[in-house]
Amino acid sequence: MKPTTSNEIRQAFLDFFHEVGHEIVPSSPLPQRDNPTLLFTNAGMNQFADVFLGKEKRPYSRAATSQKCMRVQGKHNDLENVGPSQRHHTFFEMLGNFSFGDYFKAEAIDYAWSFLTNVVGLEPERLWATVYTDDDEAFDLWQRYLPAAKILRFGKKENYWEMGDIGPNGPCSEIHYYRGDLDDVDPSLLNDDDDMGESFLEVWNLVFMQFETDEEGNTTPLPKPSIDTGMGLERLVRILQNGDSNYDTDLFTPAMDKVQELLGDSDEQRAEKYVGYRVIADHGRAATFMIADGVRPSSTGAGYVLRMVTRRAARFGRKIGFTEPFLAQIAQVYIDQMGDAYPELKLRREHILRTITQEERKFERTLDTGLAHLDALVAAMRETGETEIPGDKAFDLYATYGLPLEITRDVVQEKGITVDEAGFKQAKNAHAEASGAGKFGQYETGANVYADALHELIESGQLENGVEHDPYAGSTAVSEVIAIFKDGKRVESAGAGEKVEVVTAVTPFYVESGGEVSDTGRIEFEGGEFRVDDTRKPVAGMIVHVGEVASGEWRSGQSVKLVVDNGRRWDIRRNHTATHLLHRELRAHLGKHVTQAGSLVAPDRLRFDFTHDEAVDRRTLAQIEADINEAILANYPVAVTHMGQEEAIGKGAMALFGEKYGDIVRTIKIGSAPPEESYSFELCGGLHVRETAEIGLFRFVSEGASAAGVRRVEAVTGHGAQTFVAERLDVLETAAHKLNAPPNELPARLDNLLAEHRALQKELEKLQRQSARSQFEALLGQVQPVNGVNVLAAQVDVADVDGLREMADWFRDKVGSGTAVLATVLNDKPLIVATVTEDLIKRGLKAGDLVREVAKMVGGGGGGRPNMAQAGGRDASKLEGALTAVAGLVEKAIG
């Protein structure tokens, strides 16, 4: 039986290549954390880039994957076409098989032909192939399956692949499927942009990595040519299910059926709204997978893309009839449909649904306001005849009202207006620079010096594949120095006082990963010592010890002993295992939507970020802390096991969002039960205690917000907890001594003191009010008539501005008609209040105008309502003169 559903087709591909000796490698996460030039994985080969470049070795030489991909940036940005187009998507699945110096062109073509014709049953007469102009080898190999007339030659644009100006490259061969009448085939339509895939649909691209180009532009054959292929699952399913578009397949119809069900649309209405249906189906799927891989909505990077696709889907939803959040129900369709192929969807279901709904509601609150401002902007432009929205205006719509550029563009295109996208990016970059965002790490520009050194060390036989790194075997090792770096350059030697980076053939030092900080310690030989302040991995296979030469002359070839600061490492172990206990208890108390969103495991403390949209109250936090300490006292065993990634996930292992794991993973199980029933079971490469009792004690230090929808707790364990508790007890004892009360009576004693303080405060306020009233009664004698208006201008002694305003109220009540300007000096700054009765306001005298003029005379400003206003100033020495001027100001205003 040939596969017919999308799930069957995906599995059939993986099964076929497994049978012909390929390792089935799980999809890498969507966010690209190792490549600063990419936001997301956009091809199956991304996770194997270092393998192709020779920087990384795997225990297999052929692999196959079903890779999650996103194309939303640069030349691969298909966003505008998603909806109207039959074949464009943001998220898609790339099926691929890879050879790392194993098989080459003949086998790659054989496998592709066999899978397409024998496994999924495509008609051979509908298949065509293209090859690079002068790739006669591929042309001849294809003739085993196709007549020469169905093998077309194309140039570099269509049939040549390059990783960059420098590096691997080679010709490629594409397989196309003809969808039209076999009696009327026009070969000129193949690769014709105007055809848009109506006649010929590209199915599979076979890349033959055959050459390498150096920095001088010389291209030479690779000693071990490799294969990289890619086939879009969406297109293959469309062909096999005979869909008019990619959306007419079981990859998307369940989601669009849910849209129709929620809206209650007829089939005719669904057909009329097809663009909105497609956008929701595509963007809903993209958002579901991004959130599952740890992306959170934000204003930059991958988070911006998630926010944009979610809001664009929500906006199209509003356009076709939705009035309430609905995207979580679309996400649930994909979780049910694709959760077996991608288990992270089911594992993070609650978090996905919660996050997508929160973002939808947030956008809902600003959408109407944002669209109203956009409409006003468009209306103003039409009056002046403008047809392009300036970039800074478009960015303001996003920064102020949450309208992403893509939504602004969608809306105004319908009105025949464009957006200055270059100007938008310029405004966005200026904003990012002003806020200090977007800096690359220290090794981004200088990594090649380390890669070159690594290559040389391997070529010379000093290293086999890279530095032998095992932080788990112990805290010491004997090795030899094989390289020294200083200021980004390789040097021959280093002496006392020099800050350098030392590389040894073997190292037990842990390198920062997964939030756990690097080890520190020392490297030594007789007569020499090097202080290790940090340990880093600038490129795969190379580990450098960063620090300062304390003594001796250091050169390559010296035999040395490496010694990790084991006391510090044990503090780190305690904190790391505690984060696993913490993660477990947070989920137990707050809900399964809680997942790790970041962490820091240092010797003195641990920090843990987790997904949750409200503060954790003190009582709940106390209960979580108590349960963690119970787990510590239970002295659960902590077991390290290596197993296949899929097996570990299948047994319920928790994994970090978006983290890149190998095919074989290291798991940490806490408790003696099997993984599925254990206290905690996580994927983790860090250092841990052997039993939970070695943690000692766990204490929370703080809880607060880290980002939208993310909370952060800090805690201490072991020595840190001991110090923390001792300091708190010392504060308690000091307070008890000062209050002359036992520690257990302090709360009651403090309650009594606070009650006494409040009573005294009330008595003081009463006395201050009485004093103010006495002052006011005395001031009434200073009221003077100005053109028949009662005017009072005086400096008084009150505690705050409220005292001034109360005096002003007393004045209005007492005189019936008049104006008063009262002032005081607080913290060496003049403060002024003016009041005017209603009858004088009608004659043109206003408190705001009056107080503003007085404030100018003391170097300040202010204003307010016509009947009451206040102001401040800077120069108290001029206050007397300013008050003297009030009579003249009133006379001028009254006329």
Side-chain angles (χ1 to χ4, degrees):
M1 293 290 291
K2 74 173 187 176
T4 55
T5 69
S6 55
N7 283 331
E8 290 172 349
I9 295 165
R10 182 193 303 108
Q11 192 58 49
F13 176 87
L14 298 174
D15 290 345
F16 171 80
F17 280 98
H18 180 67
E19 290 171 6
V20 292
H22 289 63
E23 180 79 14
I24 305 306
V25 181
S27 170
S28 61
L30 281 171
Q32 274 282 310
R33 292 180 166 83
D34 298 331
N35 186 344
T37 67
L38 284 178
L39 282 179
F40 296 103
T41 299
N42 65 4
M45 67 83 62
N46 287 162
Q47 69 166 305
F48 302 115
D50 284 345
V51 182
F52 284 124
L53 291 170
K55 295 180 180 179
E56 179 186 352
K57 288 202 174 182
R58 303 263 179 124
Y60 46 81
S61 59
R62 45 175 70 187
T65 65
S66 175
Q67 175 63 50
K68 301 174 289 190
C69 297
M70 286 280 293
R71 287 189 175 173
V72 287
Q73 66 178 135
K75 65 179 182 179
H76 296 303
N77 190 347
D78 293 332
L79 189 71
E80 286 183 82
N81 297 317
V82 174
S85 165
Q86 297 180 347
R87 58 192 176 91
H88 285 99
H89 305 288
T90 50
F91 172 93
F92 64 97
E93 294 177 78
M94 180 78 84
L95 305 177
N97 59 291
F98 308 89
S99 163
F100 313 119
D102 189 327
Y103 60 83
F104 200 45
K105 293 182 185 179
E107 295 90 338
I109 291 171
D110 290 343
Y111 291 146
W113 184 264
S114 179
F115 176 75
L116 291 177
T117 59
N118 298 332
V119 178
V120 299
L122 293 188
E123 312 95 304
E125 60 270 21
R126 291 190 175 276
L127 295 177
W128 290 62
T130 67
V131 298
Y132 181 55
T133 305
D134 58 6
D135 192 355
D136 295 331
E137 181 186 4
F139 188 91
D140 293 340
L141 288 168
W142 269 118
Q143 288 191 74
R144 296 174 298 161
Y145 302 111
L146 293 169
K150 294 182 72 178
I151 309 167
L152 308 183
R153 296 179 185 261
F154 286 89
K156 269 202 166 187
K157 178 183 175 185
E158 292 85 3
N159 279 77
Y160 202 89
W161 176 88
E162 295 173 306
M163 184 174 281
D165 294 335
I166 299 169
N169 56 82
C172 56
S173 178
E174 295 174 345
I175 303 171
H176 295 254
Y177 181 84
Y178 180 67
R179 304 176 66 241
D181 184 354
L182 286 172
D183 294 327
D184 185 24
V185 182
D186 181 359
S188 68
L189 294 176
L190 194 150
N191 272 341
D192 186 340
D193 292 338
D194 293 332
D195 184 56
M196 299 290 288
E198 288 299 315
S199 301
F200 287 93
L201 199 61
E202 179 193 333
V203 179
W204 206 336
N205 187 17
L206 316 178
V207 176
F208 309 132
M209 291 193 194
Q210 194 169 352
F211 304 106
E212 182 170 27
T213 301
D214 62 25
E215 294 178 353
E216 296 177 0
N218 300 314
T219 299
T220 55
L222 285 168
K224 287 187 176 181
S226 296
I227 292 293
D228 160 28
T229 83
M231 172 166 56
L233 178 65
E234 289 75 10
R235 293 188 182 183
L236 181 60
V237 173
R238 173 184 174 182
I239 292 169
L240 293 173
Q241 295 182 1
N242 198 29
D244 290 333
S245 77
N246 290 3
Y247 294 96
D248 299 317
T249 68
D250 71 353
L251 285 166
F252 296 100
T253 51
M256 294 196 290
D257 289 345
K258 173 58 73 171
V259 173
Q260 185 175 9
E261 174 194 328
L262 294 173
L263 289 175
D265 281 349
S266 65
D267 290 344
E268 291 76 15
Q269 289 172 312
R270 173 171 170 166
E272 290 171 2
K273 302 174 180 178
Y274 79 93
V275 172
Y277 271 72
R278 289 178 178 178
V279 169
I280 290 167
D282 175 272
H283 289 11
R285 185 171 72 153
T288 300
F289 274 88
M290 278 192 279
I291 296 168
D293 275 350
V295 181
R296 293 197 58 81
S298 71
S299 58
T300 59
Y304 173 82
V305 175
L306 172 58
R307 171 161 287 170
M308 178 268 295
V309 297
T310 305
R311 293 186 172 193
R312 191 168 188 259
R315 187 251 166 183
F316 269 95
R318 173 81 71 91
K319 195 175 177 183
I320 65 173
F322 283 107
T323 57
E324 295 290 333
F326 64 92
L327 284 172
Q329 297 182 71
I330 307 305
Q332 184 62 60
V333 171
Y334 288 116
I335 294 169
D336 294 338
Q337 178 183 336
M338 304 176 76
D340 290 336
Y342 300 101
E344 61 270 23
L345 296 179
K346 289 183 176 179
L347 284 172
R348 292 156 189 163
R349 173 186 172 277
E350 287 187 36
H351 174 65
I352 293 167
L353 304 184
R354 199 178 176 102
T355 301
I356 207 167
T357 300
Q358 284 176 351
E359 181 61 21
E360 203 174 355
R361 288 196 184 282
K362 187 180 291 184
F363 184 47
E364 194 177 55
R365 291 194 292 268
T366 61
L367 179 58
D368 290 334
T369 305
L371 290 177
H373 279 82
L374 179 56
D375 288 342
L377 179 60
V378 169
M381 289 174 60
R382 281 183 169 156
E383 288 182 8
T384 59
E386 295 176 82
T387 58
E388 183 175 76
I389 294 178
D392 59 338
K393 298 286 186 185
F395 178 72
D396 184 60
L397 285 170
Y398 171 65
T400 308
Y401 305 108
L403 280 186
L405 167 67
E406 293 77 8
I407 293 180
T408 298
R409 186 176 59 204
D410 286 342
V411 173
V412 299
Q413 273 181 346
E414 299 162 5
K415 304 174 187 292
I417 290 175
T418 60
V419 181
D420 175 13
E421 296 189 31
F424 176 92
K425 289 173 184 173
Q426 189 175 1
K428 187 177 180 183
N429 290 338
H431 177 77
E433 286 177 19
S435 60
K439 295 188 174 77
F440 288 133
Q442 121 179 43
Y443 289 120
E444 296 302 339
T445 56
N448 59 327
V449 70
Y450 300 96
D452 291 345
L454 178 63
H455 179 73
E456 183 182 316
L457 291 166
I458 292 173
E459 288 291 310
S460 66
Q462 290 176 273
L463 294 176
E464 185 176 349
N465 296 319
V467 171
E468 186 180 327
H469 181 222
D470 187 2
Y472 312 115
S475 59
T476 63
V478 174
S479 184
E480 67 172 302
V481 176
I482 55 175
I484 301 173
F485 297 93
K486 181 178 181 181
D487 299 330
K489 296 178 181 178
R490 193 171 176 184
V491 296
E492 293 298 319
S493 63
E498 289 190 76
K499 294 182 178 180
V500 296
E501 298 166 346
V502 173
V503 183
T504 54
V506 176
T507 180
F509 281 71
Y510 185 85
V511 179
E512 182 175 357
S513 178
E516 181 177 330
V517 299
S518 295
D519 278 330
T520 62
R522 67 184 188 278
I523 306 174
E524 58 190 22
F525 65 90
E526 190 173 348
E529 182 174 320
F530 177 77
R531 188 188 71 239
V532 180
D533 298 325
D534 197 5
T535 313
R536 299 173 185 162
K537 184 192 289 185
V539 294
M542 172 72 79
I543 292 170
V544 300
H545 306 90
V546 182
E548 184 176 334
V549 176
S551 60
E553 185 74 15
W554 287 71
R555 296 180 179 277
S556 292
Q558 285 171 320
S559 294
V560 294
K561 183 179 181 181
L562 296 95
V563 183
V564 172
D565 183 340
N566 207 30
R568 179 179 180 275
R569 178 185 270 191
W570 265 103
D571 286 336
I572 294 170
R573 288 180 185 271
R574 294 183 183 98
N575 283 334
H576 201 153
T577 306
T579 64
H580 287 227
L581 306 184
L582 172 60
H583 195 184
R584 194 266 192 191
E585 292 301 336
L586 285 169
R587 288 171 62 84
H589 286 268
L590 304 180
K592 299 301 181 188
H593 66 278
V594 169
T595 50
Q596 183 174 342
S599 70
L600 170 68
V601 179
D604 59 333
R605 72 192 191 285
L606 67 90
R607 186 179 71 216
F608 193 84
D609 294 351
F610 58 96
T611 54
H612 192 58
D613 53 9
E614 60 186 15
V616 184
D617 62 78
R618 288 180 61 188
R619 180 176 295 180
T620 303
L621 211 59
Q623 188 58 57
I624 292 170
E625 183 179 280
D627 288 347
I628 290 171
N629 283 306
E630 282 297 320
I632 291 171
L633 291 173
N635 200 21
Y636 291 127
V638 180
V640 178
T641 308
H642 290 82
M643 62 181 71
Q645 183 185 149
E646 289 188 354
E647 179 189 358
I649 298 296
K651 289 182 176 180
M654 293 291 294
L656 286 182
F657 277 161
E659 190 72 17
K660 182 180 177 182
Y661 295 101
D663 311 319
I664 302 299
V665 294
R666 184 173 183 266
T667 67
I668 303 297
K669 179 173 74 73
I670 300 176
S672 54
E676 300 91 331
E677 303 166 16
S678 62
Y679 178 85
S680 170
F681 185 47
E682 296 195 24
L683 305 188
C684 182
L687 300 168
H688 289 270
V689 299
R690 295 159 298 198
E691 297 171 320
T692 57
E694 291 176 331
I695 295 171
L697 174 67
F698 177 96
R699 287 286 296 180
F700 280 118
V701 174
S702 65
E703 189 278 341
S706 170
V710 178
R711 305 298 296 180
R712 169 175 290 176
V713 290
E714 292 203 9
V716 287
T717 69
H719 292 114
Q722 186 179 17
T723 302
F724 178 79
V725 170
E727 289 173 350
R728 291 295 174 93
L729 285 174
D730 186 55
V731 170
L732 185 66
E733 292 291 345
T734 301
H737 177 72
K738 288 188 175 183
L739 294 176
N740 194 27
N744 63 327
E745 293 181 10
L746 276 180
R749 184 80 178 95
L750 283 171
D751 286 341
N752 290 335
L753 284 173
L754 289 171
E756 291 174 14
H757 176 75
R758 285 192 293 270
L760 290 171
Q761 188 67 33
K762 286 183 179 179
E763 183 64 24
L764 177 61
E765 289 171 359
K766 179 181 176 182
L767 291 172
Q768 287 175 336
R769 197 164 185 270
Q770 289 175 350
S771 172
R773 189 75 197 190
S774 298
Q775 282 188 72
F776 172 73
E777 295 296 337
L779 287 173
L780 288 176
Q782 298 179 27
V783 174
Q784 57 178 313
V786 177
N787 285 357
V789 175
N790 292 318
V791 177
L792 174 62
Q795 182 173 342
V796 296
D797 182 16
V798 292
D800 50 34
V801 69
D802 290 335
L804 280 179
R805 297 177 75 90
E806 188 172 32
M807 277 192 175
D809 290 337
W810 292 338
F811 176 83
R812 282 202 313 273
D813 294 341
K814 190 79 173 178
V815 301
S817 174
T819 180
V821 177
L822 303 174
T824 192
V825 176
L826 295 176
N827 299 321
D828 298 324
K829 304 289 184 184
L831 194 62
I832 309 158
V833 166
T835 184
V836 177
T837 55
E838 294 298 325
D839 60 316
L840 298 179
I841 294 172
K842 295 174 182 177
R843 293 175 59 184
L845 182 60
K846 296 178 181 178
D849 297 340
L850 187 57
V851 81
R852 191 177 300 112
E853 292 301 319
V854 175
K856 285 180 183 177
M857 300 178 194
V858 290
R865 301 189 309 274
N867 65 338
M868 178 75 79
Q870 73 180 58
R874 290 188 293 271
D875 190 348
S877 66
K878 296 180 179 179
L879 185 57
E880 184 179 350
L883 291 173
T884 303
V886 168
L889 293 172
V890 171
E891 186 174 16
K892 181 179 179 182
I894 294 295

